[in-house]
Amino acid sequence: MPDFTATAPGKIILFGEHAVVYGQPAMAVPVTEVRARAIVRPEIGQKHGGIHLLAPQINLDAEVRDLQENHPLAVAARGVLDTLEATQAPACTVHLVSTIPIASGLGSSAAVSVALIRALAGFLGHPLPDESVSALAYEVEKVHHGTPSGIDNTVVTYAKPVFFSRDKELRVIPIKKAITLVIGDTGISSPTAETVGAVREAYQNQPGHYRDLFRAIGNLSERARGALEEGDIQTLGPLMDENHTHLQEMGVSSPELDVLVNRARDAGALGAKLSGGGRGGNMIALVQEKDAARVSQSLREAGAVHTLTTTIQATKNGE
Ligand code: PMV
């Protein structure tokens, strides 16, 4: 059995976080500058089968069979074996490495799952279709977040800009003109499960108000999809600003996020908003390519612990 390698990109949510949990559409894009990689190697000469996981970045060096039932990587590996109706894997080691910052809204957990699922299935001689890879990665996301919408595993699996609604067919967005985003990290860790829980509680207390906010955000996602498909980048910035205002009203922004969002706008961004669960984590700014370095520098001066510039390329014919 030869080695088998698979990779998966990071991701960032452009529009619609939180509202997507309540059935509204959201939009996310792959961040290809950062990646997770899984390499599966056979352990020749070992008497017993089994999968060994090696992930030095999270201090993991263990057999899948020795991990707790709900360990995310064990859920991913067992999911592959169950799907392939394999009771046991031949002895092998899965090396996991990633350049995606952990727990910062860049899809690190989904990307590691997708890379592991693809590499293991390929190693076992049965590469899985994207739909199955995404479905298995969704099971892992549930371990992390409780009630995820499924947008992270979807965008990371397909590695294309997606327009995503729960229970609706996935749409890949054809991008007419490339866009450049600067991502700024507050450095504040804010588990997505907690912000999703806080929004749920607020929604239960004020259902009418929150339903209106979710709908307004879903409407922005729709308009943003149109703008991306038409290459109308000037319209996209103000839509991001509006989405940020709604997220503030929803109570998921924070002083640190607001400082970075305002600073990006002052430095010439076309629009800016928090991205992901909020109350920490990342914000994004839409910029003209020539302004990316200036906006990035301003964000670091305003307290961003790191910044990342990513370009979403225009869709080529037939892609
Ligand atoms: O924090 P992130 O980037 O994983 O995004 C969470 C997005 C939410 O809409 C808040 C939750 C979800 O499951 O869609």
Side-chain angles (χ1 to χ4, degrees):
M1 247 175 204
D3 290 9
F4 207 97
T5 299
T7 72
K11 72 99 221 313
I12 196 90
I13 296 183
L14 283 193
F15 288 91
E17 47 275 273
H18 289 290
V20 68
V21 175
Y22 297 84
Q24 294 295 330
M27 198 186 280
V29 293
V31 176
T32 52
E33 288 78 3
V34 286
R35 295 194 89 80
R37 179 183 303 272
I39 306 145
V40 189
R41 298 209 168 100
E43 293 299 341
I44 296 157
Q46 289 238 357
K47 259 210 237 123
H48 302 290
I51 304 163
H52 190 94
L53 292 177
L54 210 52
Q57 286 161 305
I58 52 165
N59 291 322
L60 178 71
D61 181 353
E63 296 291 321
V64 167
R65 72 171 78 87
D66 296 333
L67 292 175
Q68 289 206 327
E69 191 84 0
N70 65 350
H71 188 290
L73 296 177
V75 172
R78 287 199 196 102
V80 173
L81 295 181
D82 290 348
T83 304
L84 299 179
E85 294 179 3
T87 41
Q88 175 75 290
C92 61
T93 299
V94 185
H95 297 256
L96 293 163
V97 283
S98 172
T99 54
I100 308 172
I102 294 174
S104 71
L106 281 168
S108 146
S109 65
V112 169
S113 304
V114 166
L116 167 59
I117 291 163
R118 280 213 179 107
L120 192 55
F123 172 77
L124 295 171
H126 297 280
L128 290 170
D130 285 344
E131 215 180 323
S132 310
V133 171
S134 186
L136 287 175
Y138 180 63
E139 293 306 311
V140 185
E141 289 300 287
K142 279 194 204 161
V143 178
H144 285 292
H145 298 322
T147 55
S149 63
I151 192 169
D152 279 21
N153 49 286
T154 303
V155 63
V156 163
T157 299
Y158 290 86
K160 298 219 164 110
V162 298
F163 187 72
F164 175 91
S165 297
R166 269 187 126 148
D167 307 325
K168 284 217 186 109
E169 209 176 315
L170 171 71
R171 275 173 82 152
V172 171
I173 310 168
I175 308 276
K176 186 140 179 210
K177 250 195 219 152
I179 60 165
T180 303
L181 297 169
V182 179
I183 303 169
D185 186 353
T186 58
I188 296 166
S189 121
S190 171
T192 302
E194 280 178 22
T195 54
V196 169
V199 170
R200 184 165 303 278
E201 205 181 311
Y203 165 64
Q204 279 159 355
N205 291 333
Q206 291 177 278
H209 179 53
Y210 272 75
R211 230 174 271 131
D212 287 347
L213 283 172
F214 298 148
R215 261 195 229 115
I217 291 176
N219 187 263
L220 293 175
S221 295
E222 293 276 5
R223 286 163 62 196
R225 177 171 62 81
L228 277 171
E229 288 181 357
E230 282 155 28
D232 180 4
I233 291 167
Q234 293 300 331
T235 298
L236 217 51
L239 294 178
M240 283 169 79
D241 293 341
E242 237 182 286
N243 195 160
H244 185 71
T245 304
H246 291 322
L247 289 161
Q248 285 175 317
E249 288 162 357
M250 212 182 267
V252 293
S253 194
S254 68
E256 294 82 359
L257 281 164
D258 289 343
V259 164
L260 295 185
V261 163
N262 289 331
R263 188 62 88 89
R265 291 174 186 154
D266 291 347
L270 302 169
K273 62 183 276 294
L274 73 85
S275 173
R279 293 195 180 165
N282 287 304
M283 49 70 67
I284 50 172
L286 176 71
V287 299
Q288 309 266 21
E289 207 183 343
K290 64 175 175 51
D291 298 329
R294 193 179 61 237
V295 171
S296 178
Q297 171 74 21
S298 296
L299 288 176
R300 281 198 298 269
E301 282 166 11
V305 292
H306 16 76
T307 58
L308 177 67
T309 299
T310 182
T311 300
I312 319 303
Q313 299 298 346
T315 311
K316 296 197 193 95
N317 280 345
E319 238 183 71

